[in-house]
Amino acid sequence: QVQLVESGGGSVQAGGSMRLSCTASGYVYNMGWFRQVPGKEREGVAASRGGRLLYADSVKGRFTISQDNAKNTLYLQMSSLKPEDTAMYYCAAARPLRLLSLHRHGYDYWGQGTQVTVSS
């Protein structure tokens, strides 16, 4: 069982930046970031495998996903944050041979979540 531990959430004003980190305890294939607000489904934000990256349209040009394979850590650099980015952010990882996607059903392991709050 792979454990994912996120860090880096908090509160920021609109227009600000924040970086989330996620460290995996073992080997994983695809990794991604999701977010969820109460009453809504968990949505994919960004995903990464090697040099292949996927982004949700709502964050393109503002968020950057990256990986440090030596540290088994995934990052999400968020810039130009908006109040609508407020959500619980989750790190996710998939077993080998899964297709890279932004769909939550494509992931097998989840972190505990970290809250991001953007004030106007």
Side-chain angles (χ1 to χ4, degrees):
Q1 185 77 4
V2 174
Q3 307 292 327
L4 302 175
V5 179
E6 300 122 332
S7 61
S11 298
V12 66
Q13 288 194 326
S17 299
M18 185 180 290
R19 189 177 80 159
L20 305 181
S21 301
C22 170
T23 300
S25 64
Y27 175 77
V28 290
Y29 196 58
N30 304 327
M31 293 191 77
W33 289 99
F34 288 73
R35 64 186 182 187
Q36 189 171 22
V37 297
K40 291 192 175 182
E41 288 202 359
R42 193 168 296 188
E43 64 169 351
V45 174
S48 170
R49 183 180 74 240
R52 187 165 180 223
L53 308 175
L54 297 178
Y55 291 98
D57 288 342
S58 58
V59 305
K60 280 180 183 176
R62 300 189 298 121
F63 290 11
T64 302
I65 189 171
S66 62
Q67 283 181 276
D68 184 334
N69 292 326
K71 297 181 179 179
N72 227 20
T73 298
L74 182 75
Y75 302 99
L76 185 68
Q77 178 67 46
M78 304 183 290
S79 302
S80 302
L81 283 161
K82 305 175 182 179
E84 50 264 43
D85 294 318
T86 296
M88 185 71 78
Y89 282 71
Y90 296 90
C91 176
R95 297 189 188 103
L97 304 183
R98 290 272 214 173
L99 293 176
L100 187 65
S101 79
L102 292 176
H103 298 293
R104 58 188 176 92
H105 295 298
Y107 292 82
D108 305 292
Y109 309 107
W110 294 88
Q112 79 284 357
T114 185
Q115 178 68 35
V116 173
T117 302
V118 184
S119 58
S120 57

